[in-house]
Amino acid sequence: MRNVLVMAPDGVMDSALALTLDTLSAAHQLSGAEGPDFRATLFCPGVSEIRTRQGARFDVAGRVAPGRFDALVIPGLGLSTRDEIGTFFDDPQRASLVAWLHRHGPRVPRVAAGCSAVFLLAEAGLLRGRRATTTWWLGSVFRERYPDVDLDETQMVVEDRGVVCAGAALAQIDLMLHLLARLGTPGLVRAVARSLAIEERPTQARYMMRASMSGQSDDVVRIERWMRRQRHRPFSLAELARAVGMSPRTVDRRVREATGHGAKKLAQRIRLEHAAHLLQTSRLALDEVAGRVGYRDPNTLRRLLKRELGVNPSQLRREAG
C-alpha cells in the first residue's frame, strides 16, 4: 500500500486537484497486477473543508500523521502574477500552511508540488539548495524570493533528493506520473497513462531527460548543473572534466550510468530542451535561438530538433499558440 497525502489549500486549482485525484484513483483501480495499491487522503491543516478556485467544496482531514505517508502532493494553486503571490503569502492562514510544511514536510519520503504551489515548498524552506522548476512566467518572481533555490523553469518536472516540482498547470499529470514511477512500477505508470488516454498528450514531457537525474550521485548533479550553466556556448569534455574536478573518462562513465548516454548526448539534450523552451516562449529568430544554445548554424539546431525530439521549430511555435 502506498499512502499519498494530498494537501489542498483553499483556492486550489480545480483542474490540478482533479488530475491529482484521478491519477491516484486510476493507480488504485489498476494496482492489482501492475504494482502496489495507492490510497489518497485529502488534507488541509486546521480546517475540515476547502473550496477550489471555482467554488467547489470538499471535506478534508484536519489532522494527519505525516510520518505514515509515502508522499505528500500539493496541486497547483493557479497564482499567475507577482501581486497574487504576495497576497497569498500575506494571508495569516497561508502562514500556518508554510509552518506545517516546514515542520512536517521533511518527515515525508517524497514531497511534490506543481505550478505555483512550488512557491509553498520554497517558502517552507524545503527547496533550499535544491533544483526546482515552476510555471515559467513566474521564474523571475521565484528567483527574487528564493535566491537559494536552483531554478530551471525550462524543465517540466524536476526531482532533487526526494522533492519533486512541476511546471505550468497541466504539468500536474506529468508530476503524478513521475511520482507513480517512484512509488510504483513502470507497468503501473503505463497502465495509468493508457487508462487516462494521455500517451499522446502534447506536453513538454518530450523535452525531459530520458532518465531523471534525481537520486544520482552528487558528481552527476554537479556535471549536469555545469552543463546547464554553459549551454550558451560550445565546450569540450576536457573543459567540463576540469571544471568538475574529474577525468574526462570518469565524467563520461558517470553520465552514462545515470542516463544511458555519454556526456556529449546529455549536453546536446540540455541545449535542445532550452532551444524548445525559447521557441515556445519568445519571438527570437531561429538563428538567435541557435546562438543562445551554442550552435552557430541554425540548420544544425533544426536538424537536431527533428532527429532527437521529432519536431521542427514551426511545430513548437504552433503548439505554443
Side-chain angles (χ1 to χ4, degrees):
M1 174 68 74
R2 298 286 189 262
N3 292 304
V4 180
L5 187 60
V6 180
M7 183 171 161
D10 219 33
V12 67
M13 286 185 69
D14 298 68
S15 60
L17 180 58
L19 286 169
T20 300
L21 297 178
D22 284 349
T23 306
L24 292 172
S25 175
H28 170 71
Q29 294 168 8
L30 297 166
S31 61
E34 298 290 356
D37 194 6
F38 280 77
R39 182 171 63 191
T41 298
L42 196 57
F43 164 75
C44 191
V47 300
S48 58
E49 181 187 79
I50 61 104
R51 290 171 299 175
T52 68
R53 285 178 72 84
Q54 295 300 315
R57 295 175 182 268
F58 289 86
D59 292 332
V60 298
R63 305 186 72 174
V64 299
R68 297 182 180 178
F69 289 85
D70 299 288
L72 165 65
V73 179
I74 311 175
L77 303 174
L79 307 175
S80 58
T81 67
R82 184 187 303 272
D83 288 345
E84 287 181 353
I85 295 291
T87 300
F88 182 88
F89 286 110
D90 287 342
D91 186 329
Q93 184 183 356
R94 274 54 183 268
S96 67
L97 297 181
V98 172
W100 189 96
L101 280 170
H102 177 76
R103 180 180 178 187
H104 298 290
R107 297 170 57 192
V108 185
R110 277 199 164 77
V111 178
C115 191
S116 51
V118 175
F119 280 74
L120 265 175
L121 299 186
E123 196 76 14
L126 300 181
L127 291 175
R128 190 170 295 121
R130 284 181 162 92
R131 285 188 64 223
T133 188
T134 188
T135 303
W136 63 265
W137 61 84
L138 290 175
S140 60
V141 181
F142 191 97
R143 286 190 176 88
E144 288 174 17
R145 291 184 70 101
Y146 315 111
D148 53 358
V149 179
D150 184 5
L151 183 73
D152 185 354
E153 67 271 43
T154 69
Q155 298 294 291
M156 180 67 87
V157 177
V158 170
E159 180 176 349
D160 191 338
R161 288 168 285 165
V163 181
V164 191
C165 305
L170 292 182
Q172 190 71 25
I173 190 67
D174 300 85
L175 177 71
M176 295 309 298
L177 291 178
H178 182 97
L179 196 61
L180 290 185
R182 291 289 178 263
L183 299 177
T185 66
L188 179 61
V189 175
R190 288 192 294 270
V192 170
R194 284 195 302 271
S195 74
L196 298 178
I198 58 175
E199 291 109 322
E200 299 302 320
R201 198 171 67 88
T203 72
Q204 296 176 77
R206 64 170 171 255
Y207 311 133
M208 295 164 55
M209 294 298 161
R210 187 190 64 83
S212 172
M213 292 288 101
S214 63
Q216 301 300 333
S217 68
D218 290 343
D219 287 345
V220 174
V221 172
R222 200 162 71 251
I223 290 166
E224 186 200 5
R225 286 180 176 175
W226 190 89
M227 285 181 173
R228 289 188 183 281
R229 288 195 297 269
Q230 305 301 324
R231 63 193 170 198
H232 62 285
R233 66 178 183 87
F235 56 81
S236 67
L237 181 58
E239 181 186 358
L240 164 60
R242 285 194 300 271
V244 297
M246 297 180 228
S247 71
R249 182 175 294 180
T250 299
V251 167
D252 206 56
R253 185 180 73 250
R254 296 281 171 81
V255 171
R256 195 172 297 278
E257 289 170 353
T259 69
H261 298 289
K264 182 179 179 181
K265 177 67 77 171
L266 175 60
Q268 181 186 83
R269 191 72 178 198
I270 286 169
R271 296 184 198 282
L272 294 180
E273 286 177 344
H274 192 55
H277 172 72
L278 290 174
L279 286 165
Q280 290 197 306
T281 61
S282 77
R283 295 181 179 274
L284 293 173
L286 183 61
D287 58 346
E288 260 190 284
V289 172
R292 292 193 182 197
V293 295
Y295 295 114
R296 294 189 182 92
D297 183 359
N299 289 324
T300 299
L301 175 59
R302 190 192 308 274
R303 185 172 64 253
L304 288 171
L305 284 169
K306 188 65 177 178
R307 188 184 78 193
E308 300 295 325
L309 302 183
V311 293
N312 57 47
S314 58
Q315 283 177 276
L316 289 168
R317 289 204 147 136
R318 278 200 304 272
E319 285 180 9

